[in-house]
Amino acid sequence: MTTTHHVPVAIIGGGQAGLSVSWYLGRAGIEHVVLEAQTPVHAWTDSRWDNFTLVTPNWHCKLPGYAYQGPDPDGFMTRDEVVAWLHGWLDTFTPPVRAHTRVTRLTNRPEGGFELTLQLPGGTETLTCERAVIATGGYPLPVVPAFAGSLDPEITQIHSEQYRNADDLPEGAVLVVGTGQSGAQIAEDLHLAGRQVHLAVGNAPRVARFYRGRDCMTWLFDMGLYDKPAPQYPGGKAAIEKTNHYVTGRDGGRDVDLRQFAAEGMKLYGVLADGKDAALRFEPTLTAALDYADSVYNSICSDIDGYIERENIDAPAAPHYTPEWAPEFDPTTLDLAAEGVTSIVWAIGYRPDYRWIETCAFDGGGRPMQTRGVTKVAGLSFIGLPWMHTWGSGRFLGIDCDAQHIAVTIIGSYHESVSRLAVAQ
């Protein structure tokens, strides 16, 4: 049975971004609801592998009214520690969450505001609101190439969000496709577990974990890069659309060095082009990809060197990275059967899915057209998008600032609406 209710503000998504907006609205006394398809912050438990750690230092973890206060601010929380930290935050306030409530459609109302269609365990419901905040994450749909279905059906295929540990995969070698943060760290996890790993290397850059006595991300924060608005970021749009740098927080933090992995027996390839049955074909891009990642690594170190010199900071000297292994040639084929590969982990990213939002708020690529999360559609805003405002957007470090901006915008427009209504009456 379908019923209809009304609320001034609906926040769609109960992750840390949506709940941060709720924190501010609650303090301002603005009636609202948080609609969550599963349970609050569930993705941290459901979509991270067992040995997952943050790649940003713990001191980056800041949410409204709550910051990391543990004994290791420069360390890297594990998955379970992050989950405990988030639930500690949730214990500090009472957000009006409706769990197991999926929004399947959002449309404009002729009189203004929005109508939401909700799917609940017991049926459907209609909710109307004046303002809607989309907090479902930037890229909810995992990407798998079209040719994956033509590969040998005996080979287990999973996306990186489904990976938990090496023991969950069949015995045998594993092919990991992609070297963004997840792909590089999963390849390391399998490698440390003693599995034979084949790794298709993409165009992701890398960064040093520590340099000249400090974590590189601490240096970059001091240099102001996390706070610089996207339009002002060095390198422009091309820089902000690149894959994030790979590094790890595991075992206290270290570099992810694919060349070192190769020297230890991991087999590296370039970009995976296509495949059928047990035969895969790769582009001859391995050497260039490794060289590019190292050039970014050393460029960041040079930027830090320049900052240290300009600010006259006393920091220990450190060498730049010099490779000790290089491929003799760029391999272009892999016979999965001959190499004993029994499973593939696809770590080639995610794509947006806003098909359920029926408003004119998106560009030709399906991405929200927004400025600091605010769109030109009256009452519609977004939160938690990568690079929504700065490099820190979409991360713990930038969520509080972004959420406060969205909440202030909503609170201001809400009071204006109330004032207009009072005058009209």
Side-chain angles (χ1 to χ4, degrees), residues 199-202 259 262 267-273 280-292 325-334:
L199 179 62
V201 179
R259 296 181 191 269
K267 297 186 178 182
L268 307 184
Y269 307 80
V271 172
L272 178 57
L280 299 184
R281 183 177 66 84
F282 300 86
E283 301 292 350
T285 56
L286 175 60
T287 299
L290 294 174
D291 289 346
Y292 167 72
W325 179 91
E328 296 179 1
F329 61 94
D330 287 353
T332 56
T333 60
L334 170 62

PDB file of all heavy atoms in Angstrom, residues 199-202 259 262 267-273 280-292 325-334:
ATOM      1  N   LEU A 199      49.334  -8.730 -12.451  1.00  0.00           N
ATOM      2  CA  LEU A 199      48.754  -7.399 -12.238  1.00  0.00           C
ATOM      3  C   LEU A 199      48.753  -6.600 -13.529  1.00  0.00           C
ATOM      4  O   LEU A 199      49.808  -6.359 -14.129  1.00  0.00           O
ATOM      5  CB  LEU A 199      49.540  -6.643 -11.166  1.00  0.00           C
ATOM      6  CG  LEU A 199      49.082  -5.217 -10.842  1.00  0.00           C
ATOM      7  CD1 LEU A 199      47.655  -5.211 -10.298  1.00  0.00           C
ATOM      8  CD2 LEU A 199      50.034  -4.567  -9.833  1.00  0.00           C
ATOM      9  N   ALA A 200      47.559  -6.200 -13.963  1.00  0.00           N
ATOM     10  CA  ALA A 200      47.423  -5.310 -15.113  1.00  0.00           C
ATOM     11  C   ALA A 200      47.536  -3.872 -14.610  1.00  0.00           C
ATOM     12  O   ALA A 200      46.676  -3.399 -13.872  1.00  0.00           O
ATOM     13  CB  ALA A 200      46.088  -5.535 -15.806  1.00  0.00           C
ATOM     14  N   VAL A 201      48.592  -3.199 -15.001  1.00  0.00           N
ATOM     15  CA  VAL A 201      48.934  -1.881 -14.470  1.00  0.00           C
ATOM     16  C   VAL A 201      48.289  -0.791 -15.321  1.00  0.00           C
ATOM     17  O   VAL A 201      48.481  -0.737 -16.535  1.00  0.00           O
ATOM     18  CB  VAL A 201      50.471  -1.697 -14.436  1.00  0.00           C
ATOM     19  CG1 VAL A 201      50.833  -0.311 -13.918  1.00  0.00           C
ATOM     20  CG2 VAL A 201      51.111  -2.779 -13.572  1.00  0.00           C
ATOM     21  N   GLY A 202      47.528   0.070 -14.658  1.00  0.00           N
ATOM     22  CA  GLY A 202      46.901   1.184 -15.349  1.00  0.00           C
ATOM     23  C   GLY A 202      47.759   2.433 -15.302  1.00  0.00           C
ATOM     24  O   GLY A 202      48.979   2.367 -15.103  1.00  0.00           O
ATOM     25  N   ARG A 259      57.529  -2.204  -8.841  1.00  0.00           N
ATOM     26  CA  ARG A 259      58.796  -2.752  -9.324  1.00  0.00           C
ATOM     27  C   ARG A 259      59.378  -3.741  -8.305  1.00  0.00           C
ATOM     28  O   ARG A 259      59.893  -4.800  -8.685  1.00  0.00           O
ATOM     29  CB  ARG A 259      59.796  -1.629  -9.595  1.00  0.00           C
ATOM     30  CG  ARG A 259      59.386  -0.665 -10.705  1.00  0.00           C
ATOM     31  CD  ARG A 259      60.462   0.379 -10.908  1.00  0.00           C
ATOM     32  NE  ARG A 259      60.057   1.468 -11.763  1.00  0.00           N
ATOM     33  CZ  ARG A 259      60.217   1.511 -13.090  1.00  0.00           C
ATOM     34  NH1 ARG A 259      60.765   0.483 -13.708  1.00  0.00           N
ATOM     35  NH2 ARG A 259      59.830   2.566 -13.780  1.00  0.00           N
ATOM     36  N   ALA A 262      57.503  -6.922  -8.532  1.00  0.00           N
ATOM     37  CA  ALA A 262      57.928  -7.696  -9.699  1.00  0.00           C
ATOM     38  C   ALA A 262      59.240  -8.419  -9.427  1.00  0.00           C
ATOM     39  O   ALA A 262      59.423  -9.580  -9.819  1.00  0.00           O
ATOM     40  CB  ALA A 262      58.064  -6.778 -10.914  1.00  0.00           C
ATOM     41  N   LYS A 267      53.914 -10.735 -11.528  1.00  0.00           N
ATOM     42  CA  LYS A 267      54.034 -10.557 -12.966  1.00  0.00           C
ATOM     43  C   LYS A 267      53.186  -9.368 -13.406  1.00  0.00           C
ATOM     44  O   LYS A 267      51.983  -9.333 -13.142  1.00  0.00           O
ATOM     45  CB  LYS A 267      53.622 -11.833 -13.698  1.00  0.00           C
ATOM     46  CG  LYS A 267      54.542 -13.015 -13.349  1.00  0.00           C
ATOM     47  CD  LYS A 267      54.244 -14.252 -14.169  1.00  0.00           C
ATOM     48  CE  LYS A 267      55.213 -15.372 -13.818  1.00  0.00           C
ATOM     49  NZ  LYS A 267      54.989 -16.597 -14.637  1.00  0.00           N
ATOM     50  N   LEU A 268      53.827  -8.413 -14.049  1.00  0.00           N
ATOM     51  CA  LEU A 268      53.181  -7.160 -14.419  1.00  0.00           C
ATOM     52  C   LEU A 268      52.910  -7.086 -15.914  1.00  0.00           C
ATOM     53  O   LEU A 268      53.700  -7.595 -16.729  1.00  0.00           O
ATOM     54  CB  LEU A 268      54.051  -5.970 -14.006  1.00  0.00           C
ATOM     55  CG  LEU A 268      54.522  -5.897 -12.552  1.00  0.00           C
ATOM     56  CD1 LEU A 268      55.286  -4.600 -12.319  1.00  0.00           C
ATOM     57  CD2 LEU A 268      53.352  -6.027 -11.583  1.00  0.00           C
ATOM     58  N   TYR A 269      51.815  -6.404 -16.260  1.00  0.00           N
ATOM     59  CA  TYR A 269      51.401  -6.211 -17.643  1.00  0.00           C
ATOM     60  C   TYR A 269      50.912  -4.767 -17.783  1.00  0.00           C
ATOM     61  O   TYR A 269      50.736  -4.060 -16.800  1.00  0.00           O
ATOM     62  CB  TYR A 269      50.260  -7.171 -18.016  1.00  0.00           C
ATOM     63  CG  TYR A 269      50.563  -8.618 -17.718  1.00  0.00           C
ATOM     64  CD1 TYR A 269      50.424  -9.118 -16.419  1.00  0.00           C
ATOM     65  CD2 TYR A 269      50.999  -9.487 -18.716  1.00  0.00           C
ATOM     66  CE1 TYR A 269      50.715 -10.444 -16.124  1.00  0.00           C
ATOM     67  CE2 TYR A 269      51.294 -10.817 -18.435  1.00  0.00           C
ATOM     68  CZ  TYR A 269      51.148 -11.284 -17.128  1.00  0.00           C
ATOM     69  OH  TYR A 269      51.454 -12.592 -16.856  1.00  0.00           O
ATOM     70  N   GLY A 270      50.652  -4.360 -19.013  1.00  0.00           N
ATOM     71  CA  GLY A 270      50.081  -3.048 -19.248  1.00  0.00           C
ATOM     72  C   GLY A 270      48.571  -3.079 -19.121  1.00  0.00           C
ATOM     73  O   GLY A 270      47.989  -3.952 -18.462  1.00  0.00           O
ATOM     74  N   VAL A 271      47.906  -2.143 -19.771  1.00  0.00           N
ATOM     75  CA  VAL A 271      46.452  -2.048 -19.715  1.00  0.00           C
ATOM     76  C   VAL A 271      45.825  -3.251 -20.415  1.00  0.00           C
ATOM     77  O   VAL A 271      46.220  -3.614 -21.528  1.00  0.00           O
ATOM     78  CB  VAL A 271      45.975  -0.746 -20.387  1.00  0.00           C
ATOM     79  CG1 VAL A 271      44.457  -0.718 -20.517  1.00  0.00           C
ATOM     80  CG2 VAL A 271      46.462   0.462 -19.591  1.00  0.00           C
ATOM     81  N   LEU A 272      44.840  -3.874 -19.757  1.00  0.00           N
ATOM     82  CA  LEU A 272      44.137  -5.015 -20.350  1.00  0.00           C
ATOM     83  C   LEU A 272      43.213  -4.520 -21.452  1.00  0.00           C
ATOM     84  O   LEU A 272      42.308  -3.712 -21.202  1.00  0.00           O
ATOM     85  CB  LEU A 272      43.353  -5.765 -19.275  1.00  0.00           C
ATOM     86  CG  LEU A 272      42.522  -6.969 -19.725  1.00  0.00           C
ATOM     87  CD1 LEU A 272      43.394  -7.998 -20.436  1.00  0.00           C
ATOM     88  CD2 LEU A 272      41.815  -7.595 -18.535  1.00  0.00           C
ATOM     89  N   ALA A 273      43.425  -5.022 -22.670  1.00  0.00           N
ATOM     90  CA  ALA A 273      42.657  -4.544 -23.826  1.00  0.00           C
ATOM     91  C   ALA A 273      41.411  -5.376 -24.066  1.00  0.00           C
ATOM     92  O   ALA A 273      40.318  -4.835 -24.258  1.00  0.00           O
ATOM     93  CB  ALA A 273      43.533  -4.543 -25.073  1.00  0.00           C
ATOM     94  N   LEU A 280      44.182 -13.510 -22.934  1.00  0.00           N
ATOM     95  CA  LEU A 280      44.039 -12.074 -22.699  1.00  0.00           C
ATOM     96  C   LEU A 280      45.077 -11.321 -23.525  1.00  0.00           C
ATOM     97  O   LEU A 280      46.195 -11.806 -23.744  1.00  0.00           O
ATOM     98  CB  LEU A 280      44.233 -11.751 -21.216  1.00  0.00           C
ATOM     99  CG  LEU A 280      43.269 -12.381 -20.213  1.00  0.00           C
ATOM    100  CD1 LEU A 280      43.576 -11.863 -18.814  1.00  0.00           C
ATOM    101  CD2 LEU A 280      41.825 -12.115 -20.587  1.00  0.00           C
ATOM    102  N   ARG A 281      44.692 -10.104 -23.924  1.00  0.00           N
ATOM    103  CA  ARG A 281      45.618  -9.247 -24.668  1.00  0.00           C
ATOM    104  C   ARG A 281      45.775  -7.920 -23.937  1.00  0.00           C
ATOM    105  O   ARG A 281      44.785  -7.318 -23.504  1.00  0.00           O
ATOM    106  CB  ARG A 281      45.101  -8.999 -26.087  1.00  0.00           C
ATOM    107  CG  ARG A 281      46.061  -8.172 -26.950  1.00  0.00           C
ATOM    108  CD  ARG A 281      45.510  -8.023 -28.358  1.00  0.00           C
ATOM    109  NE  ARG A 281      44.288  -7.223 -28.375  1.00  0.00           N
ATOM    110  CZ  ARG A 281      44.274  -5.892 -28.414  1.00  0.00           C
ATOM    111  NH1 ARG A 281      45.428  -5.202 -28.395  1.00  0.00           N
ATOM    112  NH2 ARG A 281      43.131  -5.237 -28.449  1.00  0.00           N
ATOM    113  N   PHE A 282      47.009  -7.468 -23.823  1.00  0.00           N
ATOM    114  CA  PHE A 282      47.329  -6.228 -23.121  1.00  0.00           C
ATOM    115  C   PHE A 282      47.964  -5.227 -24.084  1.00  0.00           C
ATOM    116  O   PHE A 282      48.638  -5.603 -25.045  1.00  0.00           O
ATOM    117  CB  PHE A 282      48.310  -6.491 -21.976  1.00  0.00           C
ATOM    118  CG  PHE A 282      47.792  -7.445 -20.933  1.00  0.00           C
ATOM    119  CD1 PHE A 282      47.936  -8.817 -21.102  1.00  0.00           C
ATOM    120  CD2 PHE A 282      47.161  -6.976 -19.794  1.00  0.00           C
ATOM    121  CE1 PHE A 282      47.461  -9.706 -20.151  1.00  0.00           C
ATOM    122  CE2 PHE A 282      46.678  -7.854 -18.840  1.00  0.00           C
ATOM    123  CZ  PHE A 282      46.827  -9.225 -19.016  1.00  0.00           C
ATOM    124  N   GLU A 283      47.762  -3.959 -23.780  1.00  0.00           N
ATOM    125  CA  GLU A 283      48.472  -2.915 -24.518  1.00  0.00           C
ATOM    126  C   GLU A 283      49.930  -2.887 -24.048  1.00  0.00           C
ATOM    127  O   GLU A 283      50.222  -3.193 -22.881  1.00  0.00           O
ATOM    128  CB  GLU A 283      47.829  -1.548 -24.274  1.00  0.00           C
ATOM    129  CG  GLU A 283      46.375  -1.451 -24.680  1.00  0.00           C
ATOM    130  CD  GLU A 283      46.168  -1.529 -26.177  1.00  0.00           C
ATOM    131  OE1 GLU A 283      47.172  -1.468 -26.926  1.00  0.00           O
ATOM    132  OE2 GLU A 283      45.002  -1.671 -26.595  1.00  0.00           O
ATOM    133  N   PRO A 284      50.865  -2.518 -24.927  1.00  0.00           N
ATOM    134  CA  PRO A 284      52.290  -2.480 -24.529  1.00  0.00           C
ATOM    135  C   PRO A 284      52.615  -1.194 -23.761  1.00  0.00           C
ATOM    136  O   PRO A 284      53.435  -0.373 -24.193  1.00  0.00           O
ATOM    137  CB  PRO A 284      53.016  -2.544 -25.867  1.00  0.00           C
ATOM    138  CG  PRO A 284      52.083  -1.877 -26.830  1.00  0.00           C
ATOM    139  CD  PRO A 284      50.690  -2.246 -26.385  1.00  0.00           C
ATOM    140  N   THR A 285      51.999  -1.033 -22.600  1.00  0.00           N
ATOM    141  CA  THR A 285      52.096   0.222 -21.859  1.00  0.00           C
ATOM    142  C   THR A 285      52.774   0.078 -20.500  1.00  0.00           C
ATOM    143  O   THR A 285      52.831   1.059 -19.749  1.00  0.00           O
ATOM    144  CB  THR A 285      50.679   0.791 -21.632  1.00  0.00           C
ATOM    145  OG1 THR A 285      49.866  -0.195 -20.961  1.00  0.00           O
ATOM    146  CG2 THR A 285      50.008   1.158 -22.948  1.00  0.00           C
ATOM    147  N   LEU A 286      53.262  -1.109 -20.174  1.00  0.00           N
ATOM    148  CA  LEU A 286      53.788  -1.329 -18.827  1.00  0.00           C
ATOM    149  C   LEU A 286      54.948  -0.401 -18.496  1.00  0.00           C
ATOM    150  O   LEU A 286      54.939   0.274 -17.455  1.00  0.00           O
ATOM    151  CB  LEU A 286      54.215  -2.791 -18.653  1.00  0.00           C
ATOM    152  CG  LEU A 286      54.897  -3.109 -17.314  1.00  0.00           C
ATOM    153  CD1 LEU A 286      53.970  -2.818 -16.138  1.00  0.00           C
ATOM    154  CD2 LEU A 286      55.367  -4.559 -17.288  1.00  0.00           C
ATOM    155  N   THR A 287      55.953  -0.347 -19.346  1.00  0.00           N
ATOM    156  CA  THR A 287      57.130   0.471 -19.059  1.00  0.00           C
ATOM    157  C   THR A 287      56.745   1.935 -18.868  1.00  0.00           C
ATOM    158  O   THR A 287      57.181   2.591 -17.913  1.00  0.00           O
ATOM    159  CB  THR A 287      58.162   0.343 -20.188  1.00  0.00           C
ATOM    160  OG1 THR A 287      58.586  -1.026 -20.289  1.00  0.00           O
ATOM    161  CG2 THR A 287      59.379   1.221 -19.918  1.00  0.00           C
ATOM    162  N   ALA A 288      55.912   2.433 -19.772  1.00  0.00           N
ATOM    163  CA  ALA A 288      55.503   3.839 -19.678  1.00  0.00           C
ATOM    164  C   ALA A 288      54.703   4.092 -18.405  1.00  0.00           C
ATOM    165  O   ALA A 288      54.859   5.140 -17.760  1.00  0.00           O
ATOM    166  CB  ALA A 288      54.682   4.223 -20.906  1.00  0.00           C
ATOM    167  N   ALA A 289      53.865   3.143 -18.010  1.00  0.00           N
ATOM    168  CA  ALA A 289      53.052   3.325 -16.808  1.00  0.00           C
ATOM    169  C   ALA A 289      53.911   3.370 -15.559  1.00  0.00           C
ATOM    170  O   ALA A 289      53.692   4.208 -14.666  1.00  0.00           O
ATOM    171  CB  ALA A 289      52.025   2.197 -16.701  1.00  0.00           C
ATOM    172  N   LEU A 290      54.882   2.490 -15.461  1.00  0.00           N
ATOM    173  CA  LEU A 290      55.781   2.487 -14.305  1.00  0.00           C
ATOM    174  C   LEU A 290      56.599   3.770 -14.262  1.00  0.00           C
ATOM    175  O   LEU A 290      56.772   4.381 -13.193  1.00  0.00           O
ATOM    176  CB  LEU A 290      56.697   1.273 -14.349  1.00  0.00           C
ATOM    177  CG  LEU A 290      56.030  -0.101 -14.190  1.00  0.00           C
ATOM    178  CD1 LEU A 290      57.050  -1.219 -14.415  1.00  0.00           C
ATOM    179  CD2 LEU A 290      55.392  -0.237 -12.812  1.00  0.00           C
ATOM    180  N   ASP A 291      57.109   4.186 -15.420  1.00  0.00           N
ATOM    181  CA  ASP A 291      57.907   5.414 -15.470  1.00  0.00           C
ATOM    182  C   ASP A 291      57.074   6.635 -15.089  1.00  0.00           C
ATOM    183  O   ASP A 291      57.544   7.529 -14.371  1.00  0.00           O
ATOM    184  CB  ASP A 291      58.495   5.614 -16.870  1.00  0.00           C
ATOM    185  CG  ASP A 291      59.598   4.610 -17.202  1.00  0.00           C
ATOM    186  OD1 ASP A 291      60.085   3.942 -16.265  1.00  0.00           O
ATOM    187  OD2 ASP A 291      59.951   4.490 -18.387  1.00  0.00           O
ATOM    188  N   TYR A 292      55.825   6.671 -15.557  1.00  0.00           N
ATOM    189  CA  TYR A 292      54.961   7.799 -15.234  1.00  0.00           C
ATOM    190  C   TYR A 292      54.676   7.846 -13.735  1.00  0.00           C
ATOM    191  O   TYR A 292      54.756   8.921 -13.109  1.00  0.00           O
ATOM    192  CB  TYR A 292      53.649   7.691 -16.011  1.00  0.00           C
ATOM    193  CG  TYR A 292      52.594   8.644 -15.498  1.00  0.00           C
ATOM    194  CD1 TYR A 292      52.698  10.015 -15.722  1.00  0.00           C
ATOM    195  CD2 TYR A 292      51.510   8.172 -14.758  1.00  0.00           C
ATOM    196  CE1 TYR A 292      51.742  10.897 -15.235  1.00  0.00           C
ATOM    197  CE2 TYR A 292      50.550   9.050 -14.263  1.00  0.00           C
ATOM    198  CZ  TYR A 292      50.672  10.399 -14.500  1.00  0.00           C
ATOM    199  OH  TYR A 292      49.734  11.270 -13.999  1.00  0.00           O
ATOM    200  N   TRP A 325      64.429  -2.072 -10.696  1.00  0.00           N
ATOM    201  CA  TRP A 325      63.942  -3.124 -11.596  1.00  0.00           C
ATOM    202  C   TRP A 325      63.188  -2.467 -12.726  1.00  0.00           C
ATOM    203  O   TRP A 325      62.483  -1.465 -12.534  1.00  0.00           O
ATOM    204  CB  TRP A 325      63.000  -4.063 -10.844  1.00  0.00           C
ATOM    205  CG  TRP A 325      62.422  -5.174 -11.707  1.00  0.00           C
ATOM    206  CD1 TRP A 325      62.937  -6.418 -11.895  1.00  0.00           C
ATOM    207  CD2 TRP A 325      61.231  -5.105 -12.516  1.00  0.00           C
ATOM    208  NE1 TRP A 325      62.144  -7.138 -12.760  1.00  0.00           N
ATOM    209  CE2 TRP A 325      61.086  -6.353 -13.158  1.00  0.00           C
ATOM    210  CE3 TRP A 325      60.280  -4.112 -12.743  1.00  0.00           C
ATOM    211  CZ2 TRP A 325      60.035  -6.644 -14.018  1.00  0.00           C
ATOM    212  CZ3 TRP A 325      59.226  -4.388 -13.616  1.00  0.00           C
ATOM    213  CH2 TRP A 325      59.103  -5.644 -14.234  1.00  0.00           C
ATOM    214  N   ALA A 326      63.330  -3.008 -13.913  1.00  0.00           N
ATOM    215  CA  ALA A 326      62.582  -2.528 -15.070  1.00  0.00           C
ATOM    216  C   ALA A 326      62.245  -3.727 -15.940  1.00  0.00           C
ATOM    217  O   ALA A 326      63.015  -4.696 -16.026  1.00  0.00           O
ATOM    218  CB  ALA A 326      63.395  -1.512 -15.876  1.00  0.00           C
ATOM    219  N   PRO A 327      61.089  -3.722 -16.587  1.00  0.00           N
ATOM    220  CA  PRO A 327      60.727  -4.847 -17.452  1.00  0.00           C
ATOM    221  C   PRO A 327      61.647  -4.924 -18.668  1.00  0.00           C
ATOM    222  O   PRO A 327      62.056  -3.895 -19.219  1.00  0.00           O
ATOM    223  CB  PRO A 327      59.283  -4.523 -17.861  1.00  0.00           C
ATOM    224  CG  PRO A 327      59.137  -3.053 -17.678  1.00  0.00           C
ATOM    225  CD  PRO A 327      60.040  -2.692 -16.537  1.00  0.00           C
ATOM    226  N   GLU A 328      61.984  -6.147 -19.083  1.00  0.00           N
ATOM    227  CA  GLU A 328      62.813  -6.323 -20.268  1.00  0.00           C
ATOM    228  C   GLU A 328      62.021  -6.000 -21.533  1.00  0.00           C
ATOM    229  O   GLU A 328      62.584  -5.598 -22.549  1.00  0.00           O
ATOM    230  CB  GLU A 328      63.336  -7.756 -20.327  1.00  0.00           C
ATOM    231  CG  GLU A 328      64.273  -8.113 -19.162  1.00  0.00           C
ATOM    232  CD  GLU A 328      64.759  -9.545 -19.232  1.00  0.00           C
ATOM    233  OE1 GLU A 328      64.377 -10.253 -20.194  1.00  0.00           O
ATOM    234  OE2 GLU A 328      65.512  -9.964 -18.338  1.00  0.00           O
ATOM    235  N   PHE A 329      60.713  -6.196 -21.463  1.00  0.00           N
ATOM    236  CA  PHE A 329      59.822  -5.890 -22.589  1.00  0.00           C
ATOM    237  C   PHE A 329      58.413  -5.711 -22.028  1.00  0.00           C
ATOM    238  O   PHE A 329      58.147  -6.032 -20.862  1.00  0.00           O
ATOM    239  CB  PHE A 329      59.837  -7.006 -23.635  1.00  0.00           C
ATOM    240  CG  PHE A 329      59.361  -8.325 -23.103  1.00  0.00           C
ATOM    241  CD1 PHE A 329      58.034  -8.729 -23.237  1.00  0.00           C
ATOM    242  CD2 PHE A 329      60.247  -9.184 -22.444  1.00  0.00           C
ATOM    243  CE1 PHE A 329      57.597  -9.942 -22.730  1.00  0.00           C
ATOM    244  CE2 PHE A 329      59.809 -10.413 -21.939  1.00  0.00           C
ATOM    245  CZ  PHE A 329      58.482 -10.789 -22.079  1.00  0.00           C
ATOM    246  N   ASP A 330      57.518  -5.193 -22.835  1.00  0.00           N
ATOM    247  CA  ASP A 330      56.128  -5.018 -22.421  1.00  0.00           C
ATOM    248  C   ASP A 330      55.319  -6.231 -22.871  1.00  0.00           C
ATOM    249  O   ASP A 330      55.032  -6.381 -24.069  1.00  0.00           O
ATOM    250  CB  ASP A 330      55.538  -3.755 -23.040  1.00  0.00           C
ATOM    251  CG  ASP A 330      56.075  -2.484 -22.404  1.00  0.00           C
ATOM    252  OD1 ASP A 330      56.798  -2.587 -21.403  1.00  0.00           O
ATOM    253  OD2 ASP A 330      55.775  -1.387 -22.920  1.00  0.00           O
ATOM    254  N   PRO A 331      54.929  -7.106 -21.948  1.00  0.00           N
ATOM    255  CA  PRO A 331      54.150  -8.283 -22.341  1.00  0.00           C
ATOM    256  C   PRO A 331      52.781  -7.880 -22.861  1.00  0.00           C
ATOM    257  O   PRO A 331      52.156  -6.942 -22.360  1.00  0.00           O
ATOM    258  CB  PRO A 331      54.044  -9.096 -21.042  1.00  0.00           C
ATOM    259  CG  PRO A 331      54.213  -8.088 -19.954  1.00  0.00           C
ATOM    260  CD  PRO A 331      55.136  -7.046 -20.485  1.00  0.00           C
ATOM    261  N   THR A 332      52.300  -8.588 -23.869  1.00  0.00           N
ATOM    262  CA  THR A 332      51.013  -8.234 -24.473  1.00  0.00           C
ATOM    263  C   THR A 332      50.001  -9.371 -24.440  1.00  0.00           C
ATOM    264  O   THR A 332      48.860  -9.181 -24.876  1.00  0.00           O
ATOM    265  CB  THR A 332      51.207  -7.792 -25.930  1.00  0.00           C
ATOM    266  OG1 THR A 332      51.890  -8.827 -26.652  1.00  0.00           O
ATOM    267  CG2 THR A 332      52.032  -6.503 -26.000  1.00  0.00           C
ATOM    268  N   THR A 333      50.391 -10.539 -23.943  1.00  0.00           N
ATOM    269  CA  THR A 333      49.452 -11.653 -23.883  1.00  0.00           C
ATOM    270  C   THR A 333      49.598 -12.396 -22.559  1.00  0.00           C
ATOM    271  O   THR A 333      50.638 -12.342 -21.900  1.00  0.00           O
ATOM    272  CB  THR A 333      49.685 -12.657 -25.027  1.00  0.00           C
ATOM    273  OG1 THR A 333      51.022 -13.189 -24.931  1.00  0.00           O
ATOM    274  CG2 THR A 333      49.503 -12.003 -26.386  1.00  0.00           C
ATOM    275  N   LEU A 334      48.525 -13.077 -22.180  1.00  0.00           N
ATOM    276  CA  LEU A 334      48.533 -13.936 -20.995  1.00  0.00           C
ATOM    277  C   LEU A 334      47.575 -15.088 -21.243  1.00  0.00           C
ATOM    278  O   LEU A 334      46.402 -14.866 -21.576  1.00  0.00           O
ATOM    279  CB  LEU A 334      48.103 -13.155 -19.749  1.00  0.00           C
ATOM    280  CG  LEU A 334      47.840 -13.968 -18.480  1.00  0.00           C
ATOM    281  CD1 LEU A 334      49.099 -14.699 -18.014  1.00  0.00           C
ATOM    282  CD2 LEU A 334      47.300 -13.075 -17.368  1.00  0.00           C
TER     283      LEU A 334
END
